[in-house]
Amino acid sequence: MAQNYDVVILGGGTGGYVAAIRSAQLGLKTAIVEKSELGGTCLHRGCIPSKALLRSAEVYSTTKNHAADFGVQTGDVTLDFSRVQQRKQGIVDQLHAGVQGLMKKGKIDVYEGIGRILGPSIFSPNAGTISVEMKNGEENEMLIPSNVIIATGSRPRTLPGLTIDGEFVMTSDEALKMETLPQSILIVGGGVIGIEWASMLNDFGVDVTVIEYADRIIPTEDKDISKEMLKLLKKKGIKFATSAKVMADTLETGENGVTIQAEINGKNESFSAEKMLVSVGRQANVENIGIENTDIIVEKGFIQVKKSFQTKESHIYAIGDVIGGLQLAHVASHEGITAIEHIKGNNPHAMNYDLVSRCIYSNPEAASVGITEDQAKEKGHDVKVGKFSFKAIGKALVYGESDGFVKIIADKETNDILGVHMIGPHVTDMISEAGLAMVLDATPWEIAETIHPHPTLSEVMGEAALAVDGKAIHS
């Protein structure tokens, strides 16, 4: 028998389940259709498991290479990678159980299967229906929603002709399941995910080479951040090739591992390693969900939406990775909340993506909010910049992590903060101060007037804010 709902959400990832919770809070009868596991990519194949591995890698590297710097004698330090993976899975399982509990608390119905949008029917002549192909073999369910939210997420992209076999050539999905670490690895792609994996595997003792198509790594970030990240990762022993066009047809795999060529400055250069990780972005999951039964527009692989996240079909919304833009879990969550608020008629504020904090969880970490210095100049701003090093911050020296800096970009005329960019210890935990400052339209003077406790890493924010006007104290 068909079930009626105010909202049916296709996809139970971070965007989908957060939208469902907000929907239930607002009194809407809500269902989620999820073909795999609640929590989606972020919880099971992305944010959480990769950061669990990064933490283990950091502890191992610190203990092995730097414990003596703190006066701690450790003797021989060994890595039990199976225990690393067990810890990662334990964290995932705990959080997964928490999400399941939230669904029960909110009285949100969860259908385990593949949901497809069908055209109008006798049950729902205006909004259409959702058919759910149940994964447990039970008879298909038919859902009748007043509104639909597509939150089907994304999957790793590969290069044309570069076949992912899961053994020699992997994406992050397969890499997260490795039972043993390779001796060496080629990472194709020096963006956020590629750099996180390069840092992690290097800290685990793997010989890492990164091949990046652009002329610099993490090319979407401020140039000063890219330059500093390259310097610090090279110092750790990671090798880089930039402006390198990988030639997929030269890929060879076998007993000796992987070999591939890349064109660099008009010349072909060969690279070899035990394994290869392909990290060249993500593509939206728009197939097999019934989009062809709607008037929804898909351009360049992504669903097109309005500021309210409505598609061309006014009762169907789309959020998260499936619409492109900033493919981040926290973005998907806020898009989901905004969509639900719009469904409820609460007239929510449109999201300002310039105010979204972006994080790279490598070692060192990097984080940013707002626009880069180059983007500010391209937009016609006359900029002033404050930059302050962690080397003058006492807490950073106490931690033994004093590389990096904070950079604040402001408009000379208005004094508005345009962007904040950080690289160094725990900056992913500090970027929210900058994000809040931008939301509140604060000036560097107001950040500087905020008394930052001593000794803390956050003092670097106050000093960088003072530096914007040449008033830094400890430089």
Side-chain angles (χ1 to χ4, degrees):
M1 182 176 176
Q3 297 290 326
N4 289 278
Y5 290 96
D6 296 312
V7 179
V8 172
I9 301 169
L10 299 183
T14 308
Y17 84 72
V18 169
I21 291 170
R22 186 66 185 128
S23 180
Q25 289 174 341
L26 292 175
L28 301 174
K29 187 179 180 183
T30 307
I32 285 179
V33 182
E34 170 55 52
K35 70 176 183 179
S36 183
E37 297 172 294
L38 286 172
T41 293
C42 178
L43 178 52
H44 298 280
R45 298 176 300 282
C47 317
I48 299 300
S50 66
K51 277 53 180 180
L53 294 183
L54 277 158
R55 175 59 176 157
S56 290
E58 179 188 19
V59 171
Y60 175 63
S61 178
T62 299
T63 306
K64 183 176 182 180
N65 301 317
H66 303 291
D69 298 340
F70 295 86
V72 179
Q73 301 301 323
T74 57
D76 291 336
V77 178
T78 59
L79 179 69
D80 183 350
F81 193 64
S82 64
R83 183 69 187 91
V84 170
Q85 289 284 33
Q86 288 171 18
R87 178 178 184 272
K88 175 205 77 177
Q89 193 57 46
I91 293 168
V92 170
D93 291 344
Q94 181 178 341
L95 292 172
H96 183 215
V99 174
Q100 291 173 315
L102 290 170
M103 297 301 100
K104 292 178 182 178
K105 179 181 177 182
K107 296 181 172 56
I108 299 161
D109 292 338
V110 178
Y111 293 87
E112 297 182 353
I114 299 173
R116 297 184 182 89
I117 302 170
L118 304 180
S121 68
I122 58 173
F123 300 108
S124 181
N126 297 318
T129 56
I130 300 290
S131 171
V132 183
E133 181 183 332
M134 303 298 285
K135 74 176 185 180
N136 57 10
E138 294 181 1
E139 184 178 347
N140 287 4
E141 294 278 358
M142 191 70 70
L143 313 182
I144 305 173
S146 298
N147 298 278
V148 176
I149 296 180
I150 300 173
T152 47
S154 65
R155 61 190 184 275
R157 188 188 300 275
T158 188
L159 295 174
L162 205 57
T163 303
I164 305 299
D165 60 26
E167 181 182 0
F168 295 105
V169 183
M170 308 176 291
T171 68
S172 56
D173 283 0
E174 293 80 26
L176 283 168
K177 299 175 184 177
M178 288 190 296
E179 295 180 358
T180 58
L181 289 167
Q183 293 293 314
S184 59
I185 194 165
L186 299 176
I187 299 180
V188 178
V192 173
I193 296 174
I195 291 303
E196 288 185 352
W197 275 96
S199 173
M200 175 212 302
L201 293 172
N202 172 263
D203 280 349
F204 276 138
V206 178
D207 183 2
V208 178
T209 300
V210 177
I211 306 172
E212 167 57 38
Y213 179 77
D215 61 358
R216 59 188 175 98
I217 61 171
I218 45 175
T220 57
E221 294 300 321
D222 190 89
K223 283 183 178 178
D224 284 349
I225 299 294
S226 294
K227 183 179 178 181
E228 183 77 356
M229 182 69 80
L230 181 66
K231 182 187 78 173
L232 296 177
L233 293 184
K234 277 186 173 181
K235 185 178 177 181
K236 293 173 62 173
I238 300 174
K239 297 180 285 293
F240 292 89
T242 54
S243 300
K245 182 181 179 181
V246 169
M247 303 164 67
D249 59 347
T250 65
L251 174 67
E252 295 181 5
T253 61
E255 292 183 3
N256 295 324
V258 178
T259 298
I260 198 165
Q261 293 182 27
E263 182 183 333
I264 305 173
N265 297 324
K267 297 181 180 179
N268 293 350
E269 187 171 338
S270 183
F271 298 87
S272 298
E274 186 177 330
K275 292 184 182 295
M276 176 187 290
L277 172 63
V278 180
S279 179
V280 291
R282 299 184 66 84
Q283 63 187 88
N285 294 324
V286 296
E287 306 87 359
N288 201 30
I289 57 174
I291 287 179
E292 65 278 5
N293 299 320
T294 73
D295 291 328
I296 292 172
I297 297 172
V298 177
E299 288 184 2
K300 298 180 180 179
F302 297 105
I303 294 175
Q304 301 301 295
V305 294
K306 303 174 185 177
K307 289 183 179 180
S308 60
F309 302 107
Q310 285 174 296
T311 66
K312 193 174 180 182
E313 299 261 12
S314 61
H315 68 288
I316 302 178
Y317 295 67
I319 63 167
D321 287 8
V322 80
I323 65 173
L326 291 175
Q327 294 180 307
L328 303 170
H330 47 288
V331 169
S333 296
H334 280 268
E335 289 173 344
I337 291 170
T338 301
I340 291 295
E341 294 284 350
H342 190 269
I343 287 170
K344 187 66 174 178
N346 290 346
N347 194 28
H349 291 292
M351 282 187 61
N352 182 348
Y353 292 95
D354 282 345
L355 302 180
V356 173
S357 296
R358 310 175 297 276
C359 298
I360 305 174
Y361 297 87
S362 50
N363 183 11
E365 294 184 346
S368 59
V369 63
I371 58 178
T372 68
E373 184 175 354
D374 283 349
Q375 288 170 337
K377 291 175 180 176
E378 288 168 5
K379 289 176 179 287
H381 293 282
D382 187 8
V383 303
K384 55 181 179 178
V385 176
K387 193 173 176 182
F388 199 85
S389 171
F390 278 103
K391 284 183 168 54
I393 301 299
K395 189 68 175 288
L397 296 174
V398 169
Y399 273 170
E401 300 177 38
S402 59
D403 287 323
F405 56 83
V406 168
K407 176 180 179 179
I408 298 177
I409 303 158
D411 185 281
K412 278 185 181 179
E413 182 180 351
T414 65
N415 215 27
D416 289 336
I417 297 173
L418 303 174
V420 180
H421 307 272
M422 307 178 174
I423 182 169
H426 300 277
V427 295
T428 60
D429 296 310
M430 296 201 302
I431 192 63
S432 291
E433 178 183 352
L436 178 61
M438 292 191 66
V439 167
L440 297 178
D441 201 22
T443 65
W445 177 86
E446 287 166 310
I447 293 178
E449 281 294 296
T450 302
I451 299 175
H452 295 81
H454 174 76
T456 63
L457 295 174
S458 68
E459 290 178 273
V460 73
M461 271 293 292
E463 289 279 14
L466 286 168
V468 171
D469 294 309
K471 298 178 181 178
I473 299 300
H474 291 95
S475 66

